[in-house]
Amino acid sequence: RWKRGMLFSECYDNFVDLVLQGLTPRLWNATITTEKPVNMTCPERAWAAILGVRDFSYHEWYNYEYYWTALQTHYPNLFNESGPSSASLMVLRTEHLADDWSRISKEKLYRQVNQGGTRGNVATVKAKISNANRTTQHELPDANSSSLFWRNLCHAMCPELQVYKEILQHAKNLNSSQVEESITEVNAFCPEEGVAVRSCPGIPRFPLMRVPRRQFRTEVKKRLFAVA
């Protein structure tokens, strides 16, 4: 909780302020020299949190990159199109959760979860999604790609969005039109994002975190660490 406080007690009143005031172009292409968040400026903390390069809270640190990297490490054959695979990647898209689950739940692996039938479960999921969407709409600005909020956020989220595309494109339960549908939804907020995975210019660079060798072995996002 105290790490989260470095963002929202010491620096910003809410997430919108963090994006508008913290993710400014002033740090584009910058090389940050401060390793520990406690010694960072507020904009440096904002960028570090959104990029998932420092552990401020569960959601920023355990991001798409974290789980994507873990999958590639533990299931290397999962992404080998020509070789045998011991597992398949299934995804549930938040915006289409009820529909995705209604299809996945018919798979043999998930039948026990739905012994009471899927119709009631799907209806419950749809109701919860509707309530969640109404809450979110009140908290964030409208989808206007020309607004400063979305320009800042899309720029900072670029690396994470590329991982999101890779996950969609490797999902066994999504066809090409469903993948395109989800990327089109991203494009409504971030017009620079197309189907192809792209590079992300202008992202600040943070110093590696120095840790003991034993800890380094257990870290998933090893690109962020160095052995002390």
Side-chain angles (χ1 to χ4, degrees):
R1 180 173 296 179
W2 69 270
K3 291 183 180 180
R4 191 76 170 171
M6 283 194 285
L7 291 174
F8 295 111
S9 295
E10 299 178 10
C11 290
Y12 306 104
D13 291 333
N14 51 58
F15 183 71
V16 173
D17 287 347
L18 181 149
V19 173
L20 291 175
Q21 300 169 24
L23 302 180
T24 61
R26 187 173 62 85
L27 289 182
W28 288 12
N29 284 319
T31 298
I32 311 302
T33 58
T34 306
E35 179 180 337
K36 296 181 179 180
V38 69
N39 298 322
M40 291 180 182
T41 66
C42 286
E44 288 172 351
R45 292 179 186 179
W47 276 98
I50 296 301
L51 292 172
V53 299
R54 291 299 185 272
D55 182 11
F56 286 99
S57 74
Y58 181 91
H59 291 291
E60 287 96 8
W61 182 254
Y62 296 100
N63 54 6
Y64 285 134
E65 180 195 359
Y66 181 94
Y67 292 108
W68 184 241
T69 303
L71 280 172
Q72 291 176 308
T73 301
H74 295 290
Y75 300 98
N77 290 332
L78 184 64
F79 310 99
N80 184 0
E81 299 294 340
S82 59
S85 175
S86 59
S88 295
L89 177 62
M90 303 283 191
V91 304
L92 295 172
R93 299 167 295 166
T94 302
E95 297 82 1
H96 307 280
L97 185 55
D99 293 333
D100 287 350
W101 177 248
S102 66
R103 288 189 297 271
I104 281 186
S105 60
K106 296 174 185 176
E107 298 285 336
K108 183 178 180 180
L109 176 65
Y110 299 99
R111 285 176 187 166
Q112 286 186 336
V113 179
N114 291 284
Q115 287 179 349
T118 61
R119 183 174 301 176
N121 293 342
V122 170
T124 302
V125 168
K126 285 183 176 179
K128 290 183 178 180
I129 292 172
S130 178
N131 291 334
N133 286 342
R134 282 197 295 269
T135 302
T136 302
Q137 288 169 359
H138 290 298
E139 294 175 351
L140 298 180
D142 293 334
N144 179 0
S145 59
S146 64
S147 74
L148 179 62
F149 175 88
W150 289 111
R151 289 204 309 273
N152 284 358
L153 186 58
C154 289
H155 182 83
M157 290 292 295
C158 177
E160 187 76 343
L161 289 173
Q162 308 320 305
V163 179
Y164 175 67
K165 293 178 198 177
E166 290 195 78
I167 293 173
L168 290 175
Q169 291 164 0
H170 282 84
K172 297 298 184 183
N173 62 308
L174 300 182
N175 57 40
S176 58
S177 63
Q178 291 169 320
V179 172
E180 185 175 349
E181 175 184 40
S182 287
I183 295 176
T184 299
E185 291 166 349
V186 172
N187 180 264
F189 294 87
C190 306
E192 293 188 12
E193 298 302 336
V195 175
V197 174
R198 67 183 184 94
S199 60
C200 298
I203 298 299
R205 296 170 295 279
F206 284 79
L208 298 178
M209 293 178 281
R210 293 162 293 179
V211 296
R213 186 176 299 276
R214 179 178 295 180
Q215 180 180 339
F216 180 82
R217 293 195 192 101
T218 65
E219 294 293 346
V220 172
K221 295 193 284 188
K222 285 186 169 57
R223 71 175 187 88
L224 304 177
F225 295 89
V227 177

